[in-house]
Amino acid sequence: MWDSTVGKKAVMATSGLVMIAYLVVHMAANAKIFLGAAGFDAYAHWLRVMGEPVLHREWGLWIARVVLLASVVAHGVSAYQLSRRDIKARPTGYVHKKPRATYATRTMRWGGVILGLFIVWHILDLTTGTVHSGFEEGKPYSNVVDTFSTWYGNVIYITAMLAMGLHVRHGLWSAAQTLGVGSRVRDRSLKAVANGLALVLTVGFISVPVGVMTGVVS
Amino acid sequence: MKLTLRVWRQQNADAPGAMSTYEVDGISKDMSFLEMLDTLNEELIVKGDDPVAFDHDCREGICGACSLVINGDAHGPERTTTCQLHMRSFKDGDTIDIEPWRAAAFPVVKDLVVDRTAFDRIIQSGGYISAPTGSAPDAHATPVPKPDADFAFEHAECIGCGACVAACPNGSAMLFTSAKVNHLNVLPQGAPERESRVLDMVGQMDHEGFGGCTLTGECATACPKGIPLFSITHMNKEWLRANRKDKRTAS
Ligand code: HEM
Ligand code: SF4
Ligand code: FES
């Protein structure tokens, strides 16, 4: 699997789909912020006790974290190795240049890097609070409001979500081709699903900082 | 028509190359692109210069030998082979850039000629079927369902020109390889090697140093035979199936 460009790409597609599935859940859960501090903080608490009593406290959360970390690493490593190979396979460019492919397609690599950096910043900001002065453990609602009360918090977050939308737009469609489920007949619906989901995710995630900025959430 | 040509000139594989500028006059709209280059070469020979080397053979769009990147497009602005491209696609006074296929796996031999034997080795690794020798079998001995026959014919159209590799920003040979794999894998005649064919041909493709697919779709846009991008999707499916089924690959 890993020795072949086709196999490695299948690993990239599968790990990407795992992350997209997570994003859908994450976005839907974020919307709870519009229900006020009690609802949102209760949800954050539930994340820690989910699966109980079958699982111990925080086990469910840690399982999700391990799966996600494995996906990010598998995805990043396969993307890096395949990109290196692709660049080597075309050492000389054409003198006569033409704009090629769609914007979403051309920005997969840099968009991916932006997402990787964002994931790190996001965890340090709202999970551990390392880069967040005034962070209060166990008070996610006020931490979120606090983050989106700074201009740089908004800029970083909104830029990353636009990059995420573009990445998912090409990524979801791409993953279908890589895993062999795309076809001429299915292409219109597949593109509609990819574009639609990318749009819903982008708008859904961005609604939170916009909510804080406009005072709907405070 | 009078044209300015900017042509990639390179003495041999190891020499550095550069674009050289030439003027050609008296080009008719009915000439093919290669006839236009013949006109240039006749003038160069008369002047005692080295003619521009370029590949060509059938000049009727079926052999896959011709190979030029014209103004940044593999096989030029029309969806056809360079030999079937006519000068009516250009205007008097145009400047035309002419470059060779660019890919690590297709090194330049001279000027516009590149070495495409990597494709031959991909074919050798699995682009065949096992068939009894001797007299030809009855035409209808092996029934093939119509949709499968159509699918095989669509992919059999690939002439192995390499425009897909030239157009791909990753120098990937996925479209070519998928055309060859799909053509044989869908047919009953190709069934005995169905798994080893796709595993070995993709393996050889990787081994030759072609890049991977990022689904930009440039290959299918450039292909003079209209091999669709979904051929790659289909080959991915075949590869994943074979990888699951046949761990003991006959390599
Ligand atoms: C660590 C940060 C990331 C990097 C460096 C990265 C990079 C890449 C690259 C280079 C590709 C290949 C693009 C192409 O084939 O044209 C890709 C594809 C993809 N990415 Fe990411 N990405 C990252 C994060 C993510 C995230 C967070 C998601 C989930 C939403 C995701 C989902 C996908 C999917 C589904 C594909 C399609 C796989 C395929 O091409 O078949 N990626 N990524
Ligand atoms: S797939 Fe099309 S572009 Fe590629 S080698 Fe075959 S005919 Fe040429
Ligand atoms: S010379 Fe044979 S296809 Fe162009």
Side-chain angles (χ1 to χ4, degrees):
Chain A
M1 199 76 176
W2 194 248
D3 311 331
S4 163
T5 52
V6 174
K8 206 169 273 185
K9 181 100 191 200
V11 172
M12 171 155 63
T14 312
S15 52
L17 290 178
V18 169
M19 291 190 279
I20 291 181
Y22 166 75
L23 286 185
V24 173
V25 176
H26 189 18
M27 184 216 57
N30 281 0
K32 275 189 177 284
I33 197 121
F34 294 103
L35 301 180
F40 194 69
D41 290 353
Y43 162 73
H45 173 73
W46 172 79
L47 282 180
R48 277 144 189 91
V49 298
M50 87 182 141
E52 278 185 27
V54 177
L55 301 174
H56 282 281
R57 185 182 163 81
E58 291 210 348
W59 277 25
L61 185 61
W62 276 103
I63 292 171
R65 284 176 177 165
V66 168
V67 170
L68 284 173
L69 182 67
S71 302
V72 172
V73 171
H75 193 78
V77 171
S78 48
Y80 173 76
Q81 292 187 355
L82 286 171
S83 300
R84 282 281 306 264
R85 197 193 152 88
D86 294 347
I87 292 165
K88 248 176 67 187
R90 171 56 95 61
T92 319
Y94 292 107
V95 173
H96 193 110
K97 303 241 181 311
K98 289 213 137 181
R100 293 288 180 196
T102 65
Y103 188 73
T105 310
R106 281 184 280 126
T107 51
M108 285 309 270
R109 285 176 195 155
W110 282 111
V113 170
I114 290 176
L115 288 177
L117 294 174
F118 171 74
I119 292 169
V120 174
W121 182 83
H122 192 55
I123 291 172
L124 295 180
D125 179 33
L126 286 169
T127 307
T128 66
T130 318
V131 296
H132 189 153
S133 62
F135 178 85
E136 280 181 86
E137 182 79 45
K139 293 239 178 106
Y141 185 89
S142 65
N143 289 335
V144 169
V145 173
D146 195 38
T147 279
F148 295 132
S149 305
T150 62
W151 66 266
Y152 58 88
N154 288 319
V155 169
I156 294 177
Y157 188 89
I158 293 175
T159 311
M161 289 309 102
L162 294 173
M164 181 276 300
L166 285 173
H167 199 82
V168 168
R169 183 182 179 192
H170 180 72
L172 187 57
W173 176 84
S174 226
Q177 314 309 322
T178 302
L179 299 175
V181 297
S183 75
R184 199 166 358 211
V185 191
R186 264 184 235 141
D187 202 48
R188 258 159 159 279
S189 24
L190 199 59
K191 282 218 170 88
V193 168
N195 295 348
L197 191 68
L199 189 67
V200 169
L201 284 174
T202 312
V203 171
F205 277 116
I206 291 182
S207 71
V208 177
V210 170
V212 174
M213 281 191 270
T214 54
V216 176
V217 174
S218 61
Chain B
M1 293 198 287
K2 190 167 178 220
L3 300 165
T4 305
L5 307 176
R6 301 202 303 157
V7 184
W8 182 262
R9 302 301 310 260
Q10 180 173 342
Q11 234 349 281
N12 56 55
D14 304 318
M19 299 296 271
S20 297
T21 307
Y22 305 95
E23 306 279 337
V24 280
D25 205 349
I27 300 300
S28 125
K29 294 219 175 273
D30 299 326
M31 280 183 177
S32 76
F33 199 83
L34 298 185
E35 285 168 328
M36 184 277 291
L37 285 180
D38 292 338
T39 311
L40 169 69
N41 275 347
E42 279 162 17
E43 286 173 23
L44 290 178
I45 291 167
V46 169
K47 276 197 258 169
D49 287 343
D50 196 17
V52 177
F54 60 89
D55 262 326
H56 61 103
D57 189 19
C58 70
R59 295 207 178 197
E60 50 187 46
I62 56 172
C63 75
C66 56
S67 57
L68 300 176
V69 171
I70 301 161
N71 285 342
D73 289 320
H75 289 307
E78 310 285 336
R79 187 175 234 203
T80 184
T81 55
T82 298
C83 59
Q84 291 295 298
L85 176 67
H86 288 85
M87 294 315 294
R88 63 183 84 97
S89 302
F90 300 89
K91 292 191 312 290
D92 185 42
D94 274 359
T95 298
I96 307 176
D97 289 338
I98 311 172
E99 299 173 72
W101 282 176
R102 292 292 189 197
F106 285 168
V108 172
V109 176
K110 186 175 197 278
D111 298 338
L112 303 169
V113 176
V114 299
D115 179 356
R116 281 172 285 182
T117 49
F119 269 13
D120 299 342
R121 290 187 291 272
I122 294 177
I123 295 287
Q124 281 158 14
S125 71
Y128 53 80
I129 59 162
S130 298
T133 53
S135 58
D138 263 345
H140 296 301
T142 315
V144 179
K146 175 79 164 76
D148 292 355
D150 288 347
F151 187 83
F153 270 123
E154 184 178 15
H155 290 97
E157 283 206 44
C158 167
I159 53 176
C161 62
C164 43
V165 176
C168 176
N170 311 318
S172 172
M174 286 285 276
L175 196 68
F176 164 78
T177 309
S178 67
K180 299 302 173 192
V181 165
N182 293 341
H183 162 208
L184 297 177
N185 267 26
V186 71
L187 294 172
Q189 288 87 344
E193 292 91 7
R194 182 168 169 191
E195 288 82 24
S196 61
R197 175 177 302 113
V198 61
L199 295 175
D200 293 346
M201 289 179 79
V202 168
Q204 188 65 35
M205 175 189 89
D206 285 348
H207 181 71
E208 296 291 347
F210 291 105
C213 177
T214 54
L215 292 151
T216 65
E218 294 300 331
C219 53
T221 307
C223 175
K225 297 295 160 181
I227 304 295
L229 185 58
F230 299 113
S231 302
I232 294 178
T233 311
H234 197 85
M235 180 172 73
N236 288 336
K237 188 157 123 194
E238 284 289 310
W239 189 93
L240 290 167
R241 176 186 169 278
N243 191 55
R244 240 181 290 128
K245 219 178 130 150
D246 191 351
K247 291 288 172 196
R248 49 204 162 87
T249 136
S251 67

